[in-house]
Amino acid sequence: MNFKLMILASEPKFAAEAQEAGIDRIFFDLEILNKAERQKGRDTVLSHNNINELPSIRKVLSYSKLLVRTNPINPNLQNEIETIINYGADILMLPMAYSSIDAQKFVELVGGRAKVCVMIETSQALARIDNILNVQGIDELFFGLNDLHISLGLSFMFELLSGGLVEYLAKKCIGKKMPFGFGGIARIGDGILPAEKILGEHLRLGSESVILSRTFKGINNNKIDLKNEVAKVKKEIRKIHRWDTEQFINNSLEIKEITNNILK
C-alpha cells in the first residue's frame, strides 16, 4: 500500500516545493459555500482560492497528483467541475455530501474524466455510509474529522478516532475494498495529539492518505525545511510498519488516554 501525503497549496512556488519534498498530492481547495458559518470561532483555515489559478499549479507538477476540492452540491457545480477538469485536475473531491444521491450526482458530473473522492464529514453521511459505498464510480473516501465532529456536536475532532467512529467507517470501507484516508497531522513531535500516534492509527486501520497540516508551512512566518519534515514523516511510517499487534493496541490506548485528558 502506498500511503499518500497531501498538502494544501495555492501558489505554484509552494506546489513545486511540496512536490520536490516528496508529497504525493497537491491539494487545491475551492470550497467556500457555507464553510465560514460552519466553522465560525474555530482555529481552521478558510481558503479563498481562485479557480483560474489552477493552470499555474498544474504547470509545475510532473509526478505529484493535483487534487481539487470543489464546493458542495449546488446549482453552479457543473460549471465548476468542467473548468477544473479542463485545467487538468487528477482527482476531484466532494465536500459535505449528505447522501448517496449527492455522491451519485458528483460521479455523473465528473463523468469518468478524473478520479472521484467523496468526503464523509456530516452526521447524515455517517448514518448513510452503506448507501454511499454502493455508489458506482467513487474511487475513494476521505473522512473529514473537523466538520464531522462539529456535525456530531463533539468537542475535539480526535474523539472520532478514540471513540471508534473512524474504525467503524474504516471497516465499512475495507469490506467494500474502498480506499480511504482521514484527518490531518502536524509535524513529527508536534501537535496536541502527537502526529506519530495518529499515524499509528492510520496504519492499524488501513488508511491510505492523510493531510499535512499548516505546521508544515511554518507558523508565524517561521521558515521550515519542508523536505526534512516530510522525510521525518516517511521515516516514522516505515518504523510503524514494523510494529507488532501489541504496539498497535498500546498506541490506540494511549490515544484514548490523551484524548480523555484533553477533554477534561
Side-chain angles (χ1 to χ4, degrees), residues 112-132:
R113 294 170 292 171
K115 297 288 186 183
V116 168
C117 176
V118 173
M119 296 192 75
I120 304 299
E121 55 181 349
T122 66
S123 54
Q124 293 91 335
L126 173 66
R128 297 163 177 164
I129 186 63
D130 289 332
N131 289 340
I132 291 172

Side-chain angles (χ1 to χ4, degrees), residues 75-103:
N76 191 51
L77 186 57
Q78 181 171 1
N79 292 333
E80 186 175 291
I81 286 174
E82 292 302 318
T83 303
I84 292 167
I85 290 173
N86 287 336
Y87 284 159
D90 299 295
I91 307 154
L92 272 66
M93 174 186 275
L94 173 68
M96 300 303 291
Y98 289 97
S99 66
S100 59
I101 296 171
D102 288 346

Side-chain angles (χ1 to χ4, degrees), residues 155-219:
S155 303
F156 179 47
M157 75 173 84
F158 287 109
E159 283 186 82
L160 295 164
L161 191 58
S162 66
L165 274 175
V166 172
E167 183 161 5
Y168 165 81
L169 289 169
K171 286 180 177 178
K172 291 285 189 180
C173 288
I174 289 169
K176 286 288 190 176
K177 298 182 179 179
M178 175 68 72
F180 69 92
F182 65 87
I185 56 166
R187 287 180 283 166
I188 298 300
D190 197 6
I192 187 170
L193 181 60
E196 46 270 45
K197 301 288 183 193
I198 300 170
L199 281 172
E201 283 291 85
H202 274 272
L203 271 61
R204 181 180 75 85
L205 298 173
S207 166
E208 296 189 22
S209 61
V210 69
I211 298 170
L212 303 180
S213 78
R214 58 187 158 175
T215 64
F216 284 83
K217 300 178 182 180
I219 300 295

